Amino acid sequence: MAQLDKHNRLIGGLGDLVFRQVNGKTIVQVKLGKNGVNQTKQTKLSSSDFGTASSTTKCLSMTLRRLFLTYYD
């Protein structure tokens, strides 16, 4: 929600816009997507692949850890 400051300047969000003050000037920016990142189809595919690889690696790591922790010198 945008508000007026003591100098009658907008500060805050208004719809898809964000008003803020930088060096005494009012700056207007467009809000970003979820989590601050606008993802394309390719970046979504890459992040999905990374998530799958990460989950698989975790399973392998946990299994190998159990296997190797049972052997002692």
Side-chain angles (χ1 to χ4, degrees):
M1 181 168 116
Q3 298 178 353
L4 291 174
D5 67 0
K6 62 183 178 181
H7 301 292
N8 288 328
R9 296 179 293 200
L10 282 174
I11 295 178
L14 183 63
D16 287 342
L17 302 176
V18 177
F19 296 86
R20 61 190 189 104
Q21 299 297 315
V22 177
N23 296 328
K25 295 181 181 179
T26 302
I27 304 294
V28 181
Q29 294 178 312
V30 177
K31 286 184 184 176
L32 295 177
K34 277 187 177 180
N35 300 325
V37 178
N38 289 327
Q39 288 190 332
T40 64
K41 288 181 183 179
Q42 284 300 104
T43 56
K44 287 180 184 179
L45 180 61
S46 293
S47 65
S48 176
D49 288 345
F50 180 82
T52 303
S54 178
S55 298
T56 303
T57 302
K58 180 180 178 183
C59 289
L60 285 170
S61 176
M62 296 299 287
T63 302
L64 291 173
R65 184 175 295 146
R66 284 189 208 128
L67 178 67
F68 288 121
L69 288 179
T70 59
Y71 294 107
Y72 297 99
D73 259 349

